[in-house]
Amino acid sequence: MEKFRAIHRIFRQRSIFRQSTLRLSAPGFDGREYDSPFFQYQKNRELQTYTEPRVPGAFQCYSKRDFGTKTIVNRNPVFETLDSNDIARFKEILGEKNVVEDEDRLEFANTDWMHKYRGSSKLLLLPTTTDQVSEILNYCNSRHLAVVPQGGNTGLVGGSVPVFDEVIINLSAMNNIISFDKVSGVLVCEAGCILENLISFLDNQGFIMPLDLGAKGSCQIGGNVSTNAGGLRLVRYGSLHGNILGLEAVLADGSVLDMLGTLRKDNTGYDLKHLFIGSEGSLGIVTKVSILTPPKLSSVNIAFLACQDYLSCQKLLLEAKRKLGEILSAFEFLDSEAMDLVLTHLEGVRNPLPPSVHNFYILIETTGSDESYDKEKLEAFLLSSMESGLISDGVIAQDINQASSFWHIREGIPEALMRAGPVYKYDLSLPVEQMYNLVQEMRQRLAQKAKVVGYGHLGDSNLHLNISAPQYDDSILAQIEPYVYEWTSKHHGSISAEHGLGLMKANEIFYSKSRETVQVMGSIKKLLDPKGILNPYKVLPHSLSSCE
């Protein structure tokens, strides 16, 4: 009974409301400052980007990214450069206020949120309708002007910012909710809707989004769809490939593909919407989406648990799937290094399981419709797990404030890592039994040179491998890459579980995809975007993505 009482002990702490790891003054184009302390920290970091001529009409982007690597990409000489006639035409399409040339606003749009990449675009366009997106792309295609679609600009792999001088097409002004059907739960909205706004809207309607991310305060649903964002609820609701019922997309030549269906069953030929989910804007610009949303359930329980070893974490996951079944909605893990960083670098965060720091922590969320039944089921699972030695300590959140504080620990890890200093970040999908082996091997490889942190979505086999170093160092990077990619490939994993390939991993795609598969991807790109103007230098290896 003592162990059972331990599960029920109330962890008393001051209220910490659940918050996004990332919050910008959305969408960042009104001249306001970033309002997150994390971004104040990022603003002061040194950026180094150099552009130097190689041959007439071509440039080399030599981008010394914050984590010490060098990405060398040649500007495709096929692409034209902007002139006054182009700007005049865009003003005819959008009006003057939605054609942005202001350097301060362009600085924001040119730089990704981690400050790893910086482009040199001279123009930001803010369309308000699909027709305007169509006109912009039709004109850019005719002029051979490269473009980069942009949403909340919260990506981690350089996919949402220019590499060189591409025209930025930001969809933040297309932020209308078009319709919501309470019977079917189908939401239809424009691509510029901020995820957190959709979550709030659905909450008022008695529904929830099947997608939840730490960056929800800034990211936009069009970008989420274009990167096939994963997040915290995938273990319960699956990926966006299963929740997006339809979408509208504009091709490079301005053609509008109306695939905005709202039916769960439509077996009429090729389901083309899946080409655009996860294509990172390289095949077309998503302008509208229809999403299947589940009803909000009344009973939500959060447990924060400690495990002594990774094997216990694996066994606990299996038991959770068996014994919690239909009410299991999240199963997240973090190691002691991650917990230590959060406790050290995030203000107001406390260890829910004092006084010691355990080797591993598990956050379990259940969601159901019967509060007494769900709680009884969770408590029985926890009691059984304690008696079998799978967990060494644990606590169930007693109110919304405690639940929020538990989630804040998990969602706050990326911010804590960035506050700690230089960090090398990898988003990997691996068999569950192999996930933490990579963390341990990296600790052996790097010894005392850096701190290796492992956390992520254990229920989805998604490891976030982070290496926190005193400074960016080529010798550290040489120990990490390509070893991490090779190790992942050897164990039949994916080098990008949920963040996409962007610029960072475009040339690494062969670690996860066969050459034949990549060739077919290149053929699809050439068919839908024959001039290669859509988000060039991203997703596909540079040898395939350049247009002739």
Side-chain angles (χ1 to χ4, degrees):
M1 288 301 296
E2 288 303 318
K3 289 183 178 179
F4 184 68
R5 289 192 190 97
I7 290 294
H8 283 76
R9 65 187 173 86
I10 300 176
F11 173 57
R12 300 190 182 278
Q13 58 180 15
R14 75 178 180 87
S15 172
I16 304 172
F17 292 96
R18 184 178 180 183
Q19 55 185 301
S20 300
T21 303
L22 171 64
R23 290 184 187 273
L24 290 177
S25 302
F29 300 115
D30 55 4
R32 290 180 290 171
E33 289 290 326
Y34 309 64
D35 56 14
S36 164
F38 170 55
F39 279 88
Q40 294 293 341
Y41 165 77
Q42 285 287 66
K43 275 177 60 178
N44 296 325
R45 300 182 67 183
E46 181 181 4
L47 299 174
Q48 297 182 50
T49 303
Y50 309 96
T51 303
E52 57 186 48
R54 285 175 58 84
V55 296
F59 295 85
Q60 180 184 61
C61 177
Y62 180 90
S63 182
K64 185 171 182 182
R65 303 186 302 206
D66 276 350
F67 49 85
T69 62
K70 297 161 186 160
T71 300
I72 299 176
V73 183
N74 293 328
R75 184 189 186 280
N76 195 322
V78 173
F79 298 137
E80 296 290 339
T81 55
L82 277 171
D83 60 31
S84 58
N85 292 329
D86 300 325
I87 295 172
R89 176 59 184 137
F90 292 134
K91 287 181 178 179
E92 288 178 6
I93 297 171
L94 301 176
E96 292 211 14
K97 71 174 183 177
N98 289 329
V99 177
V100 178
E101 299 177 83
D102 178 73
E103 290 185 4
D104 289 338
R105 296 168 77 183
L106 282 166
E107 172 70 16
F108 177 87
N110 268 304
T111 308
D112 79 307
W113 77 273
M114 284 190 66
H115 284 184
K116 288 158 56 176
Y117 305 94
R118 178 193 279 176
S120 54
S121 176
K122 301 299 182 186
L123 195 67
L124 168 71
L125 304 179
L126 296 168
T128 59
T129 67
T130 298
D131 286 343
Q132 288 181 349
V133 176
S134 174
E135 286 191 73
I136 291 168
L137 287 182
N138 178 269
Y139 180 80
C140 289
N141 196 56
S142 68
R143 278 273 292 128
H144 280 204
L145 292 171
V147 303
V148 54
Q150 189 175 89
N153 198 11
T154 61
L156 296 176
V157 291
S160 61
V161 293
V163 179
F164 297 100
D165 56 350
E166 298 91 275
V167 175
I168 303 168
I169 304 176
N170 187 285
L171 300 187
S172 59
M174 296 178 63
N175 56 10
N176 295 308
I177 293 173
I178 298 169
S179 66
F180 179 68
D181 185 341
K182 283 191 173 183
V183 176
S184 65
V186 177
L187 171 73
V188 181
C189 64
E190 292 181 316
C193 290
I194 293 172
L195 179 59
E196 190 166 49
N197 292 344
L198 295 180
I199 291 172
S200 297
F201 170 82
L202 289 168
D203 184 66
N204 291 330
Q205 302 294 322
F207 286 76
I208 65 170
M209 277 292 289
L211 174 70
D212 190 11
L213 304 171
K216 60 181 171 285
S218 298
C219 66
Q220 297 172 14
I221 191 62
N224 299 149
V225 172
S226 296
T227 57
N228 189 28
L232 303 166
R233 291 177 174 159
L234 193 142
V235 69
R236 174 70 171 267
Y237 300 112
S239 77
L240 288 176
H241 277 288
N243 293 300
I244 299 298
L245 299 180
L247 55 80
E248 176 186 81
V250 184
L251 300 183
D253 65 358
S255 301
V256 179
L257 294 187
D258 183 358
M259 303 172 286
L260 200 62
T262 58
L263 302 174
R264 296 189 70 178
K265 288 187 173 182
D266 180 5
N267 200 15
T268 52
Y270 307 137
D271 198 350
L272 295 180
K273 69 175 181 287
H274 290 292
L275 284 177
F276 298 89
I277 301 171
S279 67
E280 302 182 59
S282 64
L283 300 180
I285 297 181
V286 174
T287 48
K288 296 186 180 77
V289 297
S290 63
I291 311 162
L292 181 64
T293 69
K296 181 172 65 175
L297 301 177
S298 58
S299 170
V300 178
N301 292 290
I302 311 288
F304 200 86
L305 313 172
C307 294
Q308 287 304 310
D309 52 54
Y310 183 67
L311 181 60
S312 296
C313 296
Q314 296 178 64
K315 291 180 178 179
L316 191 67
L317 173 61
L318 180 59
E319 287 299 296
K321 289 180 176 179
R322 284 175 174 167
K323 295 181 178 178
L324 298 178
E326 76 286 355
I327 65 171
L328 181 65
S329 54
F331 196 101
E332 301 289 307
F333 94 104
L334 56 145
D335 62 15
S336 59
E337 297 281 8
M339 175 61 87
D340 180 65
L341 281 166
V342 170
L343 295 175
T344 302
H345 296 284
L346 294 189
E347 183 181 353
V349 175
R350 299 181 184 178
N351 185 353
L353 303 173
S356 60
V357 175
H358 299 270
N359 292 328
F360 293 92
Y361 295 91
I362 300 292
L363 187 153
I364 291 177
E365 180 187 79
T366 65
T367 309
S369 56
D370 188 325
E371 185 174 354
S372 60
Y373 169 80
D374 294 349
K375 192 164 233 181
E376 182 180 337
K377 195 169 187 178
L378 177 60
E379 289 173 352
F381 161 72
L382 295 176
L383 177 59
S384 172
S385 299
M386 289 199 80
E387 290 178 340
S388 64
L390 293 183
I391 59 178
S392 53
D393 200 357
V395 58
I396 297 175
Q398 300 298 309
D399 54 39
I400 189 171
N401 292 331
Q402 228 177 33
S404 297
S405 70
F406 293 172
W407 270 116
H408 184 47
I409 291 171
R410 167 59 185 86
E411 290 186 311
I413 299 172
E415 180 176 346
L417 280 159
M418 296 305 294
R419 286 179 176 272
V423 59
Y424 303 77
K425 302 178 73 69
Y426 298 90
D427 161 48
L428 310 166
S429 186
L430 290 161
V432 172
E433 65 273 14
Q434 296 289 345
M435 277 175 57
Y436 206 72
N437 290 342
L438 177 57
V439 178
Q440 293 172 325
E441 289 195 27
M442 289 309 301
R443 284 181 180 148
Q444 292 176 358
R445 283 179 66 84
L446 293 170
Q448 303 302 314
K449 292 181 179 179
K451 182 181 291 187
V452 181
V453 178
Y455 71 97
H457 316 294
L458 193 62
D460 312 332
S461 303
N462 182 186
L463 171 69
H464 293 310
L465 174 70
N466 288 258
I467 296 161
S468 179
Q471 59 194 18
Y472 294 110
D473 189 325
D474 287 344
S475 66
I476 292 178
L477 184 65
Q479 289 286 93
I480 302 172
E481 295 184 22
Y483 182 82
V484 165
Y485 298 137
E486 291 171 346
W487 198 98
T488 301
S489 181
K490 177 183 176 182
H491 292 88
H492 308 290
S494 169
I495 63 168
S496 180
E498 58 183 3
H499 294 160
L501 293 166
L503 175 64
M504 176 183 174
K505 299 180 182 179
N507 282 337
E508 319 302 336
I509 191 172
F510 296 108
Y511 287 108
S512 293
K513 292 285 189 290
S514 70
R515 293 194 174 273
E516 294 78 10
T517 300
V518 175
Q519 288 289 345
V520 172
M521 291 171 65
S523 298
I524 294 171
K525 167 73 171 175
K526 197 163 189 177
L527 176 67
L528 298 182
D529 180 19
K531 296 181 179 179
I533 68 165
L534 287 170
N535 219 6
Y537 323 108
K538 319 284 181 59
V539 184
L540 291 171
H542 303 143
S543 58
L544 284 182
S545 60
S546 60
C547 53
E548 296 297 331

